[in-house]
């Protein structure tokens, strides 16, 4: 059996109370901890704002976050719980996914 985890990204208000200057280190720490514990994957959401209602709290962009996490991890797979081709042309989305797959050494889900 394999297990995955969501890394904080703001969508679920999981960065509230953490200073903005510490957001990236928080996301990296959680992701690296999941990797060291043997989780097979970490996941992010491709949403523009928080839930259950939009707020002024930050929600980091999913594909950018995956590319950044690819550079600071070694083995854990990287995925999005969802993504939308309604505002990304399918050819562009395929190029982004392929680029991050190469950067990560083939770890994109």
């Amino acid at each position: 059996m394999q297990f995955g985890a969501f890394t904080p990204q703001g969508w679920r208000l999981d960065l509230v109370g953490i200073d903005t200057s510490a957001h990236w280190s928080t996301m990296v720490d959680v992701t690296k901890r999941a990797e060291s514990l043997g989780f097979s994957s970490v996941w992010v959401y491709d949403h523009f704002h928080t839930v259950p209602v939009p707020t002024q709290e930050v929600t980091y962009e999913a594909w950018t976050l995956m590319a950044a996490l690819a550079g600071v991890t070694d083995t854990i797979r990287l995925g999005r719980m969802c993504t939308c081709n309604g505002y990304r042309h399918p050819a562009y989305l395929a190029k982004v996914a392929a680029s991050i797959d190469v950067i990560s050494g083939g770890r994109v889900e």
Side-chain angles (χ1 to χ4, degrees), residues 20-37:
T20 305
S21 64
H23 283 180
W24 174 239
S25 62
T26 299
M27 292 183 273
V28 169
D29 291 348
V30 168
T31 301
K32 285 186 171 187
R33 182 74 170 151
E35 186 173 47
S36 72
L37 289 172

Side-chain angles (χ1 to χ4, degrees), residues 52-87:
V53 296
T55 69
Q56 293 299 309
E57 297 294 332
V58 68
T59 298
Y60 291 95
E61 200 277 325
W63 288 97
T64 305
L65 185 54
M66 286 176 49
L69 290 172
V72 297
T73 57
D74 298 311
T75 59
I76 200 158
R77 298 191 63 78
L78 307 162
R80 303 114 354 270
M81 185 53 142
C82 60
T83 200
C84 181
N85 66 358
Y87 48 83

Side-chain angles (χ1 to χ4, degrees), residues 9 44-48 61-63 66 79-94 96-97:
Q9 126 188 50
V44 295
Y45 296 94
D46 189 17
H47 295 300
F48 287 127
E61 200 277 325
W63 288 97
M66 286 176 49
R80 303 114 354 270
M81 185 53 142
C82 60
T83 200
C84 181
N85 66 358
Y87 48 83
R88 289 186 192 94
H89 190 280
Y92 172 76
L93 184 56
V96 170

